[in-house]
Amino acid sequence: MSRVQPDRSEDVFEDFKPAYSPGQALTEANRCLFCEDAPCITACPTGIDIPQFIRKISTGNVKGSAKTIFDSNILGMSCARVCPVETLCVGDCVYNDLGEPPIQIGKLQRFATDTAFEKDWTYYEAGPDTGKSVGLVGAGPASLACAHELRKLGHACTIYDKRDVVGGLNTTGVAPYKMRADRSDAEVEWVLGIGGIEVITGVDVGTDKSWDDLVGAHDALFIGVGLGPDHWLSVPGKELDGVYGAVEFIERMKLGTVDVSKVRSAVVVGGGNTAIDAVRELAGLGVGSVTMVYRGVEDKMSGYAHEWKAAKHEGVRSSWRSQPLAFEADPSDPAKVARIRCAVLDDAKQPTGDETTIEADLVLLAIGQAKLESLLSGLSGVTFDRGCVVVDAAQKTARDGVWAAGDCANGGKEVVNAAAEGKVAAQAIDAWLKGDE
Ligand SMILES: Cc1cc2nc3c(=O)[nH]c(=O)nc-3n(C[C@H](O)[C@H](O)[C@H](O)COP(=O)(O)OP(=O)(O)OC[C@H]3O[C@@H](n4cnc5c(N)ncnc54)[C@H](O)[C@@H]3O)c2cc1C
Ligand code: SF4
């Protein structure tokens, strides 16, 4: 049952890394040197045995290859599409040092896992019922990976999410040219296929249901609530129509429709990965002029250089060393943003006294997301460091019986980190429930 509506704005995007045919996958798999102590395994947060899964492709055992991937990372299908492989597994392939193109690990992983989905291969069954129940808050990658592992170990799971869709940012946030929402939805169904994971949507924990209720209802609690809303700039005009948070706008584009047909010129404020996704998405939706406005300089931006290179290739412009001072409207339409006025900064990010003005009838703010410390303050005993839940190496919080993983604990990393941490938490919860901790 799909939880994602058809006919979404994101449908216009093509796959930016098209899938391998069986022949292409075989050719690429045969290039692998099958290194012992392969550095790519260490570079993968979920520790997938990469040479092993590639060897299985090369011997025609695609079913076994996908199992090798899923054994380490149950979200291996989405990770194959969304992982920044250039900075993870592919970035550590030994071919890089030999001056040869690195093995396309993500594309091979996609070939194996897509085939498993197409053929409806399933590999896992729930373990014998332990009579214990775990509540998981948030239905993103961290909770899904945690719940699947807990089911293998025989514990009943209930996931609560405030949204109606499941999958967290994998469904609502990742760029559609990497993965569309319906593909993430299909992965959610595949993960839930193990059985015994109840998903209750439309429940905002902390508002609709108290933390104490959840603690009382379950033997253990897992927190995977991710990050909060987009940060906002405190400048005049911030309330004008046409000014949105980038993550909020991306979610609307992925789950429904956004009308940018009348937008002549859009600005995205920020220099991180969300900002780069946003400019590429606006360009892909057909906005004629898209500019990234960033306080720093090109080689110091926090977004991935390879993604920014692609954005430039797609015609995105930039305004470096620019600090927004005000969003301004035209007298003819005083409620609607028409331009953004910026201070020009020097190398030390101090205003030079000069100003620059950029036309913008759509502005997206991609300057970070809030941490959810205040939401979780209803759960006494849990501690925080700069807004993130403090956890130990087993993802356990300072409160007995409560674990946390993913963005709410690591501050905002990647899907693969959330999947890895969720699985670690599940194993620790299992040990604790059995009294083995
Ligand atoms: C725009 C954008 C693009 C990204 N692109 C990539 C990418 O290409 N590749 C990549 O690897 N990573 C990407 N990331 C990061 C990645 O999506 C996250 O690291 C990952 O989804 C974190 O998983 P999570 O389970 O911790 O949290 P989330 O995915 O955020 O899931 C948290 C869930 O908790 C729910 N929730 C929150 N509060 C409550 C509450 N009070 N009650 C009930 N439910 C609640 C939310 O509705 C949500 O479903 C991107 C992030 C953003 C913002
Ligand atoms: S999960 Fe991501 S980092 Fe790990 S091997 Fe697959 S593509 Fe690479």
Side-chain angles (χ1 to χ4, degrees):
M1 178 204 68
S2 177
R3 294 178 173 85
V4 176
Q5 72 167 60
D7 301 326
R8 304 175 309 279
S9 291
E10 68 163 358
D11 294 342
V12 300
F13 289 91
E14 302 283 336
D15 221 332
F16 86 136
K17 279 186 189 170
Y20 275 151
S21 66
Q24 288 171 319
L26 191 61
T27 305
E28 186 66 2
N30 281 331
R31 287 181 62 232
C32 184
L33 299 173
F34 308 114
C35 314
E36 278 194 34
D37 300 326
C40 54
I41 302 180
T42 320
C44 170
T46 54
I48 292 175
D49 189 338
I50 295 164
Q52 171 91 284
F53 96 69
I54 294 179
R55 189 185 291 280
K56 286 180 180 169
I57 293 176
S58 74
T59 58
N61 178 9
V62 181
K63 187 171 188 180
S65 171
K67 182 167 187 305
T68 300
I69 296 161
F70 293 134
D71 280 350
S72 292
N73 181 353
I74 199 62
L75 301 183
M77 188 282 285
S78 58
C79 284
R81 288 170 159 76
V82 309
C83 272
V85 291
E86 294 81 356
T87 62
L88 295 171
C89 51
V90 173
D92 271 20
C93 175
V94 294
Y95 270 129
N96 291 301
D97 295 332
L98 301 174
E100 296 279 335
I103 298 291
Q104 293 304 302
I105 298 165
K107 289 188 74 166
L108 288 172
Q109 180 170 319
R110 174 171 169 176
F111 171 74
T113 55
D114 276 4
T115 307
F117 274 50
E118 254 167 52
K119 307 258 184 198
D120 214 10
W121 289 330
T122 50
Y123 302 91
Y124 307 102
E125 285 180 5
D129 187 9
T130 62
K132 302 285 186 191
S133 120
V134 181
L136 301 99
V137 186
S143 290
L144 289 168
C146 183
H148 190 270
E149 191 68 13
L150 286 167
R151 284 304 294 142
K152 285 192 336 201
L153 296 162
H155 307 299
C157 293
T158 306
I159 300 181
Y160 303 88
D161 202 290
K162 65 180 182 181
R163 287 181 165 76
D164 293 328
V165 295
V166 181
L169 284 164
N170 238 354
T171 304
T172 65
V174 299
Y177 42 82
K178 296 181 188 168
M179 182 172 69
R180 294 195 201 150
D182 53 339
R183 192 69 195 172
S184 169
D185 201 46
E187 179 176 68
V188 169
E189 291 308 316
W190 188 85
V191 170
L192 298 182
I194 193 167
I197 303 175
E198 188 185 7
V199 179
I200 305 179
T201 53
V203 179
D204 192 336
V205 175
T207 303
D208 303 329
K209 208 172 196 27
S210 76
W211 290 101
D212 286 344
D213 282 350
L214 288 192
V215 169
H218 300 286
D219 298 295
L221 199 61
F222 174 85
I223 308 169
V225 291
L227 298 175
D230 296 281
H231 281 311
W232 218 254
L233 274 177
S234 186
V235 297
K238 62 183 188 302
E239 69 295 332
L240 287 172
D241 288 349
V243 181
Y244 301 97
V247 177
E248 172 208 346
F249 183 88
I250 290 168
E251 176 168 344
R252 282 177 42 212
M253 176 205 47
K254 285 186 64 73
L255 298 185
T257 49
V258 287
D259 182 5
V260 292
S261 57
K262 296 200 178 73
V263 175
R264 282 167 295 129
S265 176
V267 159
V268 176
V269 181
N273 286 316
T274 297
I276 300 178
D277 279 4
V279 288
R280 295 188 67 187
E281 286 159 13
L282 290 171
L285 286 170
V287 177
S289 162
V290 183
T291 307
M292 176 185 277
V293 165
Y294 180 49
R295 299 173 71 231
V297 289
E298 183 165 13
D299 58 356
K300 293 276 166 54
M301 64 197 290
S302 60
Y304 295 126
H306 63 271
E307 296 274 358
W308 173 240
K309 196 172 155 197
K312 283 196 289 189
H313 186 67
E314 288 155 11
V316 172
R317 291 187 261 201
S318 51
S319 180
W320 309 117
R321 292 194 177 96
S322 298
Q323 169 74 43
L325 291 174
F327 302 123
E328 296 175 343
D330 279 332
S332 58
D333 192 354
K336 175 90 178 64
V337 72
R339 71 192 70 83
I340 170 169
R341 189 157 53 79
C342 298
V344 176
L345 307 180
D346 63 18
D347 286 347
K349 293 192 180 155
Q350 295 305 310
T352 60
D354 292 333
E355 289 187 6
T356 173
T357 298
I358 305 167
E359 297 301 309
D361 40 11
L362 175 67
V363 175
L364 302 186
L365 302 176
I367 51 172
Q369 290 171 261
K371 307 278 190 326
L372 286 174
E373 178 171 358
S374 59
L375 164 70
L376 297 168
S377 61
L379 193 56
S380 62
V382 173
T383 55
F384 300 89
D385 179 16
R386 281 163 288 172
C388 300
V389 182
V390 175
V391 291
D392 65 13
Q395 301 298 139
K396 191 170 184 217
T397 70
R399 175 165 172 160
D400 208 31
V402 181
W403 282 258
D407 283 1
C408 69
N410 65 32
K413 287 189 177 171
E414 311 290 348
V415 171
V416 67
N417 300 95
E421 294 168 13
K423 185 174 178 184
V424 167
Q427 288 161 350
I429 293 170
D430 175 62
W432 185 81
L433 289 172
K434 289 179 177 155
D436 296 343
E437 192 190 39

